[in-house]
Amino acid sequence: AQKVTQAQTEISVVEKEDVTLDCVYETRDTTYYLFWYKQPPSGELVFLIRRNSFDEQNEISGRYSWNFQKSTSSFNFTITASQVVDSAVYFCALSVNFGNEKLTFGTGTRLTIIP
Amino acid sequence: NAGVTQTPKFQVLKTGQSMTLQCAQDMNHEYMSWYRQDPGMGLRLIHYSVGAGITDQGEVPNGYNVSRSTTEDFPLRLLSAAPSQTSVYFCASSPLESGANVLTFGAGSRLTVL
């Protein structure tokens, strides 16, 4: 069975600070995909990134960066120079079924950026 | 493009009533699914479909029915609503591609069962 743990339930930081959201996953499959989704106050989930288990390169997209470490089964998400618009609930998710998408979601981290 | 459209956005039911949550997508996606979101539990998969005429159960299917008569539509039916089904429901779709698919989510439907 698959499991995704987001131990940080809520985080608050002052605007312009950096913040890292933790994600730890469990799976016995050697081939899997990891995702991050953002749920802003409007409620709709927005895709941020997909990473497969064979690609451990870190990725940077603007102020966002992701650190994938198979050795610790972690896929952490860092926001640099946070902005109020980053306030949202962020979900990490895992998939081992390709084509029959059955995402296993973490419980989410609510991030509040204080102006 | 409208993407994934869910109706209604809000609904209040009494225990034992039935209702259908509608989901439609205009992206010609083969894969469609329903998740429910509950506080402290993330999103859990209810049912999914990989094409018209094909449906299967997810993690929490009890109390829900689905059908897929067209590529565009994937309604979720509650046969006899219970308070435990109070939740926010999300429909999501994706094309079937190699590797894990990126889901496009609808805006959600908030259901309260009294």
Side-chain angles (χ1 to χ4, degrees), chain A residues 28-74:
Chain A
R28 292 186 176 182
D29 291 76
T30 56
T31 303
Y32 52 88
Y33 282 77
L34 295 162
F35 298 79
W36 276 94
Y37 281 87
K38 174 182 180 180
Q39 186 177 40
S42 60
E44 196 162 338
L45 282 93
V46 177
F47 165 77
L48 293 178
I49 190 172
R50 173 182 62 186
R51 171 69 74 208
N52 74 54
S53 54
F54 299 112
D55 184 0
E56 286 193 75
Q57 282 190 345
N58 293 331
E59 182 157 340
I60 299 174
S61 176
R63 296 183 297 106
Y64 295 173
S65 62
W66 290 269
N67 182 5
F68 178 28
Q69 290 194 330
K70 291 177 72 171
S71 61
T72 56
S73 296
S74 65

Side-chain angles (χ1 to χ4, degrees), chain B residues 34-101:
Chain B
W34 279 101
Y35 286 83
R36 59 178 288 174
Q37 181 180 14
D38 301 295
M41 301 190 74
L43 284 83
R44 294 179 292 168
L45 180 65
I46 304 172
H47 284 286
Y48 66 96
S49 167
V50 297
I54 306 170
T55 63
D56 205 346
Q57 297 180 349
E59 181 184 356
V60 288
N62 292 341
Y64 307 95
N65 275 358
V66 292
S67 60
R68 185 91 179 272
S69 57
T70 66
T71 299
E72 294 78 19
D73 300 299
F74 190 46
L76 178 71
R77 297 182 184 86
L78 283 71
L79 303 177
S80 179
S84 61
Q85 294 179 303
T86 293
S87 187
V88 181
Y89 292 85
F90 287 94
C91 181
S93 73
S94 75
L96 289 180
E97 301 171 338
S98 60
N101 302 319

Side-chain angles (χ1 to χ4, degrees), chain A residues 6 8-11 21 35-48 64 77 79 84-92 105-113, chain B residues 37-43 90 110:
Chain A
Q6 295 180 256
Q8 304 153 308
T9 304
E10 296 190 24
I11 301 175
L21 309 182
F35 298 79
W36 276 94
Y37 281 87
K38 174 182 180 180
Q39 186 177 40
S42 60
E44 196 162 338
L45 282 93
V46 177
F47 165 77
L48 293 178
Y64 295 173
F77 173 30
I79 301 175
V84 172
V85 294
D86 296 326
S87 295
V89 180
Y90 291 87
F91 290 97
C92 182
F105 282 84
T107 52
T109 297
R110 181 178 298 278
L111 176 64
T112 301
I113 308 301
Chain B
Q37 181 180 14
D38 301 295
M41 301 190 74
L43 284 83
F90 287 94
R110 182 176 295 275

